[in-house]
Every structure is written in structure tokens, then in C-alpha cells.
Amino acid sequence: MRKGLMILLALFASNLAISAEEEIKTIGDLTYAKYEEQELKLDLHRLKKRARPLPCIVTVHGGGWLGGSRKSWEKIARDLALEGFVVANISYRLAEEAKFPGAVLDCKAAVRWLRANHEKLGIDPNRIAGVGGSAGGHLIAMAATTVGNPDFKDGKNNSEESDALSSIVIMGSGVDQVSRVLESKSKSIANCVIFFGAEYHENPEIYKEASPITHLSKSTPPILMMDGEKDKPGQRYGDFRKKLDSLGVKNEFVMIPRAAHGEWGKEAYRPLFVKEMVKFFRSNF
């Protein structure tokens, strides 16, 4: 009897999942930026039956700037789409394709492309936010804090549009690359050397320039920081949050129980991470 009930419940849950999938329209491999012969792509997810302009979320994968794929964020993107957002799940140039600030410029180009095409995509251009994990969180934080900064403009790819974001969520992300490398035992972090093109002692200024904490201002949008309980919860954000508070910028921190670094997409924890994202985005659009 109990076994039969469990089977029925499993089938019910499976049917719910299928029904939810059928509600989402996905348009894959859209080109949002071009650099010489390279095209950068994104996948767009949205509810099929929601016709009015919807708020949009840009999702940015991690991988230490060296690897990773937007496909790893597909389930999160679809979860967010089910909540009524248009979700742009992007790829970007990795460190061995473009040194810093290449990937930051890519994130900003994605925002501009969405704004330039908002009418045909059904997006509200005044409500575009971003979320990223690990290196992806660093990139979306850099994009959000350097709006209007001439050092982060490339004059290409819908350059006339704004790349401003309404709010961002970052998870397990380094916001102060100077402190990060100085606190490491060797005073060197391999992926930083590749992305920034130098050891810290060779070019400390680029580590400072590559730190979101450097670019915080009163115009910085609201920021939610999330860590798993097994991912040094809150330790990365101490000075960052103090500076946000001093500037009067809204910020929050949430810890997800039992989760480790990078487990925001894991079945056991994804609903918890997504629930907090949705609550934060809705309160800040």
C-alpha cells in the first residue's frame, strides 16, 4: 500500500514537472555580441502565455573565468522563467580568449543587447537584473558597479544603450581580489594570474581595478549575497557590506543550510537558492 502511494506521488511530481516544462518557451543560441570573428551566444527562457513586458534576469555561470558553460545554469534559468521572468542565460569569453576586462565587457554587452531588443523580446527595459555564481558573480558585480565608467566601455555592440542593472545576486563570489590574493598562502592564485595577466606583485593595480569593492558608489544597485553553509558563509563580504552600508546601498546576505560552493544548481539546494533570488528580485524591481 505504502509502496503504491509512493509510486503515485512520484508520477504526480513527474507530471507537474512536465507541465511546468511545457509552459516555458526557450530560444537558443541568440547572438548578443560580436568581436572580430567570434560571436557570443545566450539562451532566452520565458513563459509562453505571459504577453506583457516582463522583468529580465541575466544569468552568468562560474568556472574561475577559465571554464564552465551556460548550460550548467539551464535549470536555474528555467526555474526563474517559471516565476515570471525572462531569463537570458549567457556565455562569455573565457580568460584564455580575452584577458580582464573581457568577460566583464561581455556581461555589459548582454544587458545592452537585451535593452536594444526589449520590444521584440517582451522585456521591460527598466527592469533588468543579474545573478551569477563564483566567477559569474564576480563578473555581474563588476558589470553592475562600473556603469558609466569609461574604462569599461568598448564602443561596440549596442554601445548607445545603457548597461545599468536594477539589482544583482552574487553567490560564493570574490568581491575584493586584492584581499583574496594577499590572504592566500602563496600570494598567488593561478586563475587570477591568467585572467588579470600578471601576478599581484607585478601589477597590484589591476587586482584593485578587478575588484567590485573598488567601484562601489551611491548609484550601485541593491545586492543580495548568498553562500552555502559549507562555503565560508559571509566571509568574503565583510568590508564589502560595510562599504555598501556607508554608501546607503541596500544589501542583504542569506546562508543556505548544508550547501557547499557551486551547489546552487544541485537538486537538493536549487529551490532554496531560487526562492531567495525571486524574493529579492521582486522586492527590488
Side-chain angles (χ1 to χ4, degrees), residues 119-167:
E119 289 187 358
K120 66 181 181 181
L121 297 175
I123 289 170
D124 182 344
N126 297 313
R127 295 190 293 168
I128 301 177
V131 55
S134 196
H138 166 265
L139 295 175
I140 204 67
M142 285 295 301
T145 56
T146 58
V147 175
N149 186 326
D151 294 333
F152 293 88
K153 290 185 176 181
D154 61 8
K156 303 174 183 177
N157 299 303
N158 300 295
S159 59
E160 71 284 357
E161 297 286 348
S162 168
D163 53 32
L165 290 159
S166 299
S167 59

Side-chain angles (χ1 to χ4, degrees), residues 2 5 7 21 25 39 52 80-82 87 98 106 130 145 152 154-155 164-165 177 195 198 227 234 236 275:
R2 184 175 179 183
L5 179 60
I7 292 171
E21 288 296 301
K25 178 181 181 180
E39 294 186 352
R52 63 184 174 83
L80 291 170
L82 282 170
V87 183
D106 298 345
T145 56
F152 293 88
D154 61 8
L165 290 159
Q177 299 300 323
F195 188 35
D227 289 328
R236 300 173 180 88
K275 178 183 177 181

Side-chain angles (χ1 to χ4, degrees), residues 110-126:
V111 176
R112 295 195 304 271
W113 182 85
L114 290 163
R115 204 159 259 131
N117 294 279
H118 72 274
E119 289 187 358
K120 66 181 181 181
L121 297 175
I123 289 170
D124 182 344
N126 297 313

Side-chain angles (χ1 to χ4, degrees), residues 17-27 44-54 77-78 80-87 120-122:
I18 292 170
S19 176
E21 288 296 301
E22 290 174 346
E23 294 179 22
I24 300 173
K25 178 181 181 180
T26 297
I27 308 172
L44 206 72
H45 306 274
R46 63 168 296 141
L47 287 172
K48 291 179 181 178
K49 297 180 181 179
R50 198 71 68 87
R52 63 184 174 83
L54 297 174
R78 295 177 76 82
L80 291 170
L82 282 170
E83 295 290 340
F85 303 102
V86 177
V87 183
K120 66 181 181 181
L121 297 175

Side-chain angles (χ1 to χ4, degrees), residues 30-246:
L30 294 168
T31 298
Y32 74 83
K34 295 181 180 180
Y35 297 98
E36 297 177 351
E37 296 181 358
Q38 185 175 7
E39 294 186 352
L40 298 180
K41 306 284 187 177
L42 62 78
D43 300 328
L44 206 72
H45 306 274
R46 63 168 296 141
L47 287 172
K48 291 179 181 178
K49 297 180 181 179
R50 198 71 68 87
R52 63 184 174 83
L54 297 174
C56 180
I57 300 171
V58 179
T59 54
V60 189
H61 71 81
W65 311 298
L66 297 175
S69 165
R70 73 181 189 269
K71 298 303 180 184
S72 67
W73 270 66
E74 191 165 295
K75 289 184 178 180
I76 294 176
R78 295 177 76 82
D79 285 349
L80 291 170
L82 282 170
E83 295 290 340
F85 303 102
V86 177
V87 183
N89 189 21
I90 73 168
S91 294
Y92 53 85
R93 290 173 294 172
L94 301 175
E96 293 181 337
E97 299 172 303
K99 301 295 184 189
F100 173 84
V104 178
L105 300 180
D106 298 345
C107 293
K108 294 164 83 70
V111 176
R112 295 195 304 271
W113 182 85
L114 290 163
R115 204 159 259 131
N117 294 279
H118 72 274
E119 289 187 358
K120 66 181 181 181
L121 297 175
I123 289 170
D124 182 344
N126 297 313
R127 295 190 293 168
I128 301 177
V131 55
S134 196
H138 166 265
L139 295 175
I140 204 67
M142 285 295 301
T145 56
T146 58
V147 175
N149 186 326
D151 294 333
F152 293 88
K153 290 185 176 181
D154 61 8
K156 303 174 183 177
N157 299 303
N158 300 295
S159 59
E160 71 284 357
E161 297 286 348
S162 168
D163 53 32
L165 290 159
S166 299
S167 59
I168 61 168
V169 175
I170 61 176
M171 303 179 293
S173 303
V175 292
D176 186 344
Q177 299 300 323
V178 174
S179 294
R180 183 179 174 217
V181 71
L182 291 178
E183 290 169 3
S184 68
K185 291 181 179 179
S186 63
K187 302 297 185 286
S188 176
I189 300 174
N191 57 326
C192 289
V193 175
I194 295 170
F195 188 35
F196 305 147
E199 296 278 3
Y200 176 75
H201 71 269
E202 295 172 329
N203 190 354
E205 280 303 310
I206 199 168
Y207 282 73
K208 181 180 178 181
E209 188 72 2
S211 299
I213 193 171
T214 300
H215 305 284
L216 294 178
S217 70
K218 290 184 177 181
S219 61
T220 297
I223 302 177
L224 168 64
M225 291 143 273
M226 284 197 286
D227 289 328
E229 185 178 8
K230 298 178 181 179
D231 189 20
K232 302 184 292 185
Q235 293 180 34
R236 300 173 180 88
Y237 314 121
D239 291 338
F240 189 70
R241 295 198 71 193
K242 288 178 183 177
K243 190 170 181 180
L244 287 168
D245 289 340
S246 71

